[in-house]
DNA sequence: ACCTCCCTGGCC
DNA sequence: GGCCAGGGAGGT
């Protein structure tokens, strides 16, 4: 599932293909992916003829800045993928949007489970969009231990659930939340507001190290290969995962079997021996 | 601050 | 043939 490292990897690969280029055509095969678009706003019309000024990312939201202060946002959801079309190739199943640029590059947005979406915002629309309500970016603006302490103050929810709250810190998803908590040796069920300063230090460091390493690996392509880089390569962080998806296997730090629990409806993999 | 729901491929 | 995963918006 595309989390921050996967979205950032996709952004970096796409950036040189799109910056400075002008959109010449937009084909939408499935309207559901435009459900965030306000009524009467013409997604294809807003993109067509507009030049790409640059790309940005906040949390898991990819933002493409267009002429006339329009912001084209792409969220990959659970199973979304961006791809640069190879010459003459047919798009894979569930390709919902096809964008052609003025040098004939074609970008595909593919998403079997359709939790992802794309939308073109005016500045006013952007200001009331979900993208504008995100917390600080986990990669480029990760809170230090002091700031994290104030974010978690008096919070009674499990720390795992709070790490997934995109309005606190943006970009951490289910895989990297588990990996960071394991790296910091913190029990995922601990109430957020009870973390002590040494634990907060370890957590901030673990989030940072986990995301940096995942990014350096090009993200995590799970066995289902739902996530691939835009050029078709796999992200290789799977082989470095410490706990995610390893229920019953030995903890790589202490040897105890990795456990699976459910927190807020999400699978949580952790070691009850060394995360306590 | 919590629960429900959206959607589909893959697995039992 | 039925169930499950899972990000996050929206409702209560």
């Amino acid at each position: 599932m595309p989390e921050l490292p996967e979205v950032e990897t996709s952004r970096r690969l796409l950036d040189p293909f799109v910056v400075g280029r002008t959109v010449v055509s937009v084909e939408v095969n499935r309207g559901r992916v435009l459900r965030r678009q306000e009524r009467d706003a013409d997604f294809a019309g807003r993109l067509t003829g507009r030049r790409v000024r640059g790309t940005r990312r906040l949390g898991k939201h990819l933002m493409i800045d267009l002429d006339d202060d329009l912001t084209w946002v792409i969220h990959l959801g659970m199973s979304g993928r961006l791809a640069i079309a190879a010459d003459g190739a047919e798009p894979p199943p569930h390709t919902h949007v096809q964008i052609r640029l003025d040098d004939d590059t074609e970008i595909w947005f593919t998403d079997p489970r359709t939790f992802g979406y794309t939308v073109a915002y005016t500045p006013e629309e952007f200001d009331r969009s979900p993208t504008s309500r995100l917390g600080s970016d986990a990669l480029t603006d990760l809170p230090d231990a002091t700031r994290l302490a104030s974010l978690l103050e008096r919070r009674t929810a499990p720390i795992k659930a709070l790490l997934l709250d995109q309005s606190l810190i943006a970009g951490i998803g289910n895989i990297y939340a588990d990996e960071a908590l394991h790296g910091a040796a913190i029990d995922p069920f601990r109430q957020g507001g009870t973390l002590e300063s040494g634990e907060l230090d370890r957590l901030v460091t673990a989030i940072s190290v986990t995301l940096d390493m995942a990014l350096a690996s090009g993200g995590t392509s799970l066995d289902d290969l739902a996530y691939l880089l835009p050029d078709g390569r796999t992200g290789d962080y799977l082989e470095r995962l410490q706990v995610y998806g390893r229920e019953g296997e030995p903890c790589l730090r202490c040897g105890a079997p990795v456990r699976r629990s459910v927190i807020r409806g999400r699978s949580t993999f952790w070691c009850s021996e060394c995360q306590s």
Side-chain angles (χ1 to χ4, degrees):
Chain A
M1 65 212 75
E3 302 182 20
L4 188 155
E6 291 75 22
V7 176
E8 177 64 9
T9 297
S10 298
R11 188 195 68 77
R12 290 183 184 180
L13 253 131
L14 282 172
D15 184 273
F17 287 91
V18 301
V19 172
R21 300 261 67 95
T22 297
V23 175
V24 296
S25 76
V26 176
E27 197 175 319
V28 177
N29 306 315
R30 183 150 177 187
R32 175 172 155 77
V33 299
L34 301 182
R35 66 194 178 283
R36 302 298 316 165
Q37 191 79 67
E38 293 188 11
R39 253 192 301 277
D40 305 330
D42 177 7
F43 173 77
R46 286 183 176 186
L47 262 57
T48 305
R50 293 218 155 78
R51 192 176 147 276
V52 176
R53 290 179 175 169
T55 69
R56 294 178 291 148
R57 180 194 52 75
L58 179 53
K60 305 171 197 174
H61 297 228
L62 173 59
M63 292 175 280
I64 301 167
D65 294 307
L66 304 175
D67 278 343
D68 304 318
D69 294 326
L70 290 166
T71 306
W72 171 20
V73 172
I74 299 170
H75 193 296
L76 298 175
M78 277 285 303
S79 56
R81 171 152 103 90
L82 291 165
I84 299 156
D87 280 342
E90 279 300 302
H94 309 289
T95 297
H96 307 313
V97 183
Q98 297 168 250
I99 309 274
R100 182 166 289 276
L101 305 175
D102 58 358
D103 63 350
D104 273 352
T105 297
E106 192 163 302
I107 309 293
W108 291 335
F109 174 48
T110 305
D111 183 11
R113 296 186 192 174
T114 69
F115 280 23
Y117 62 83
T118 187
V119 52
Y121 290 124
T122 64
E124 299 72 32
E125 289 167 355
F126 184 87
D127 286 343
R128 51 178 188 262
S129 75
T131 308
S132 73
R133 290 191 288 270
L134 294 170
S136 54
D137 184 75
L139 187 70
T140 60
D141 191 23
L142 185 64
D144 60 19
T146 307
R147 233 172 97 215
L148 185 57
S150 66
L151 286 172
L152 298 179
E153 205 175 0
R154 285 187 292 276
R155 299 294 296 258
T156 59
I159 183 62
K160 163 72 185 280
L162 296 171
L163 287 179
L164 296 178
D165 183 341
Q166 303 296 300
S167 70
L168 297 179
I169 302 173
I172 302 173
N174 204 38
I175 295 176
Y176 300 115
D178 283 1
E179 293 297 305
L181 287 167
H182 181 265
I186 293 171
D187 183 334
F189 288 92
R190 278 283 297 287
Q191 295 188 340
T194 69
L195 294 193
E196 292 160 20
S197 87
E199 295 174 312
L200 293 165
D201 283 335
R202 298 204 308 267
L203 183 53
V204 168
T205 302
I207 293 169
S208 171
V209 167
T210 301
L211 294 178
D212 283 346
M213 291 189 13
L215 183 57
S217 304
T220 305
S221 295
L222 298 175
D223 294 335
D224 60 9
L225 296 183
Y227 164 75
L228 294 172
L229 276 63
D231 59 8
R233 285 180 295 161
T234 55
D236 297 324
Y237 199 67
L238 175 65
E239 57 200 62
R240 308 184 87 128
L241 293 177
Q242 302 293 299
V243 282
Y244 186 85
R246 299 189 60 248
E247 182 181 12
E249 296 173 39
C251 168
L252 296 174
R253 184 166 46 212
C254 77
V258 171
R259 298 179 55 178
R260 177 184 175 277
S261 304
V262 174
I263 296 178
R264 283 268 231 285
R266 299 291 176 260
S267 286
T268 299
F269 298 91
W270 59 296
C271 175
S272 57
E273 209 49 47
C274 62
Q275 290 176 258
S276 57

